[in-house]
Structure formats: C-alpha cells, structure tokens
Amino acid sequence: MRRDGAQLDACTSGTSGTSSVSGCRTECFFWIKFCIVRTWCNTRPASVPLRTLLSLNVTMERNMENWFVQQLRFSAFVQDALRSLVDQVWEAISADPPETDDSRPREGFRRLAISADDGSMLQVILTPGRFDVLQSLAATAEIQPVVHLGKASQRVDSFVRQINAMLPRLNIDIQRIALGLVLIRPVASREDAYRELQSLLPVELNPDTSRDFLYQINHPETLQIEQDSLELNRLCKWSAIQTQHFRLQIIAAPSGVPVSTQGDLAAGENFVCCEVDNSTAADRAGALPRDSIQAIFERLVELASTTSMGERRATT
C-alpha cells in the first residue's frame, strides 16, 4: 500500500400474504435487536450511564457509516507492568487461548496473538511502561490482500466492548490511556480522494495536481471528572492512499540461487485515510482515578466518532 505517491510495504406490488410475512420479519428483527441491546446494557460499565452508552453507540454508527477500519489500538501506560498483566488482559478480551506467546524477559517484552478466519489478528503487547491491545490485519501472502477489517462502526463498537470488559479487571494504577484508529474510505480514483479530503477538511485542494498531501491537527479539550480536570488530546491525521497489487515470482537461476522478480504493478484501489490518536495528556502527574477510567475511555471513543465527521463539521 502506498500513501498517494509513495509505496508502502503491503502489496498490498405486494399481496396481503406478503404483507403478513413482512410484518412478521419486522417483529422478529426488533425482538432480536431488543435482546441484543438488553444483554449489552446488563454488561455495561457501572461507571458509565446507560443513556450515555446508548447515545454513543447510535452517534458512532451514524458518523462512521462510510468508513472502514484497518487498525484499532488501546494503550495504557503503567509504572509496574508485570508479565502476568498480559495474561489478565488476554483473558478479559478473548475467549480463546493465544496462538503465539513471544517473550523476551530481559527487554521487558511479551506478546500474545491470535489470528481469526476473517483475516484479522488480535494482539496484546507488553513493553516497559505500557501495554497495548491491537487489532489489525494479519500478514498475508495473497496477491490481492484484504485492505480493511470491515465496517468501522461495527468493529469499533466490538473493540470498545472488549476494552470496557477488561478495564474493571485491572488492579493496577494507570497513568495514561490512548485510543488509536486507522480509518479508510474507498473512492473511485486519486482525484476523487482529494475531492473527498477537500469536503472533509478546511483546505482548498486541486484534485488534478495535488500529491503527497498530509493534514495533521490536535484539538485538545478539558474533561471534568468530579473534582479532577483532565486534558485530552484529539489528534488526527488525514491523507490519500492507494493500494497496488503485484505478483512476485521466484525463479531458480543456473547457479541454484533463487532470484526474485517483481511483475508489473496492477491498478490499485484509492482511499481517504483518517488516523485517530486520542489520549490523556502525557504530562499528568499521578495515576488516573480508577473509578473514572472507563468514563475517560468512553470520551476518547466519542472524540474519535467526532473526528470521523471531518474537520469542517467536527470543529463547528
């Protein structure tokens, strides 16, 4: 995949009978939806009001309707990160045991991972002073690989539920948290990508001549949690990207040493890309209040939903 001009690593009339059936399907749909919502509400974080969660879910689904997601990340910065912390996090977010357990104790590194049938990979990574929960595309050798995980609204909602299920089970002090998303929106051409960026951002672009465009901005805000004021960062980066697929051939040379040759690049796919990195301030002294971390996280999610609307509407 490449960012506009630069190539990246991945090669990346009904009858009464019909009316009756339709009505039955409608009732079944709402009954199933009611059951799902009721189950979700019963497992919601105690520190986050029910009305807030329902409103956030509806708003996020609307704002992210035209986006797909490539990567989701939750990061927590901690002082005392034991190797066993990775196991606690994994048990909270996954019902299956990890397929991979990489450990380098001298470096303070540990990584658990599992791949899914849909081409995604779930990872928990521990490094000195922090741990990350990462959901992204698994490495693939396909000539035309999958470029996203699916609809952003659904994937983000599922990821948020995983993190909300994990946070109450962590009996540690957390100094800082962050939410990262890589969102993409498919367009027909490079020119259309720049037209879309112009509609989303307060900039003037010439779709025919623009190249290598990058727009980055932070919109910090203050969040009041009881008697505590927290500074939050709403950082976003906008660009145009293009995937290009190619065939790699390995041919045995007379010397017996394999020779790799790259075939012609195929016409790729074009996307608008929005990278979100929301976090609490890095210079905060002391740990975040434990009973408020979920509420802080929900605000980071809400800010990501706001960012997905674009700078023209998100800042008004």
Side-chain angles (χ1 to χ4, degrees):
M1 181 174 293
R2 68 176 188 175
R3 187 175 308 282
D4 193 33
Q7 184 173 336
L8 300 182
D9 294 334
C11 46
T12 51
S13 72
T15 64
S16 59
T18 302
S19 177
S20 175
V21 172
S22 176
C24 176
R25 290 176 178 172
T26 301
E27 290 179 6
C28 291
F29 170 76
F30 282 113
W31 172 250
I32 294 171
K33 187 173 183 180
F34 168 75
C35 292
I36 293 173
V37 172
R38 182 177 63 181
T39 301
W40 172 52
C41 293
N42 289 339
T43 59
R44 75 186 191 277
S47 61
V48 182
L50 170 60
R51 181 177 298 178
T52 299
L53 285 178
L54 289 174
S55 175
L56 176 59
N57 182 262
V58 172
T59 302
M60 182 172 62
E61 184 174 357
R62 181 182 66 246
N63 293 351
M64 294 189 176
E65 180 180 4
N66 297 320
W67 290 101
F68 296 84
V69 65
Q70 281 191 316
Q71 185 183 97
L72 308 101
R73 173 182 52 83
F74 171 81
S75 303
F77 296 79
V78 295
Q79 287 186 343
D80 302 319
L82 303 177
R83 294 182 70 254
S84 59
L85 175 62
V86 179
D87 298 305
Q88 297 176 28
V89 173
W90 188 268
E91 291 173 0
I93 65 173
S94 177
D96 300 313
E99 297 174 335
T100 302
D101 187 345
D102 296 329
S103 182
R104 298 196 291 269
R106 291 186 178 181
E107 301 175 22
F109 173 88
R110 191 178 177 202
R111 170 183 169 270
L112 304 182
I114 189 172
S115 298
D117 294 337
D118 61 0
S120 66
M121 173 176 286
L122 178 65
Q123 302 177 78
V124 176
I125 303 172
L126 176 71
T127 53
R130 68 181 286 175
F131 73 86
D132 299 271
V133 178
L134 185 67
Q135 191 170 39
S136 59
L137 293 166
T140 177
E142 295 294 328
I143 296 174
Q144 293 185 344
V146 176
V147 296
H148 59 72
L149 298 172
K151 295 286 288 184
S153 57
Q154 300 168 2
R155 282 289 189 171
V156 173
D157 178 63
S158 176
F159 186 74
V160 167
R161 295 189 196 191
Q162 287 180 304
I163 302 304
N164 272 326
M166 172 198 70
L167 289 174
R169 301 174 62 172
L170 300 181
N171 188 29
I172 57 172
D173 287 333
I174 298 177
Q175 278 70 45
R176 187 186 184 199
I177 62 173
L179 171 68
L181 304 175
V182 179
L183 306 173
I184 60 173
R185 178 180 295 181
V187 291
S189 65
R190 179 188 58 79
E191 290 80 7
D192 285 339
Y194 281 97
R195 292 187 186 97
E196 189 73 14
L197 284 168
Q198 187 167 246
S199 71
L200 290 165
L201 304 175
V203 296
E204 295 297 326
L205 298 170
N206 186 328
D208 298 321
T209 60
S210 298
R211 299 288 192 281
D212 303 318
F213 174 80
L214 182 64
Y215 181 98
Q216 178 174 309
I217 192 169
N218 185 17
H219 298 284
E221 72 164 36
T222 300
L223 177 66
Q224 193 69 31
I225 299 291
E226 296 180 353
Q227 303 301 317
D228 199 355
S229 295
L230 300 174
E231 182 177 342
L232 305 182
N233 296 306
R234 179 165 72 88
L235 181 65
C236 57
K237 185 187 300 183
W238 299 83
S239 61
I241 62 175
Q242 183 184 57
T243 62
Q244 286 193 319
H245 311 309
F246 61 89
R247 184 183 299 273
L248 187 65
Q249 296 179 326
I250 299 179
I251 304 172
S255 62
V257 180
V259 177
S260 297
T261 62
Q262 178 179 310
D264 293 337
L265 289 172
E269 300 170 276
N270 291 275
F271 301 89
V272 170
C273 181
C274 174
E275 299 177 52
V276 175
D277 190 3
N278 298 338
S279 64
T280 56
D283 57 357
R284 174 182 170 83
L288 298 171
R290 291 191 183 186
D291 58 352
S292 300
I293 289 182
Q294 285 174 291
I296 299 170
F297 174 64
E298 290 294 340
R299 181 55 183 164
L300 297 182
V301 176
E302 187 177 19
L303 292 176
S305 177
T306 299
T307 294
S308 68
M309 297 171 60
E311 288 294 307
R312 289 186 183 273
R313 286 178 292 177
T315 58
T316 57

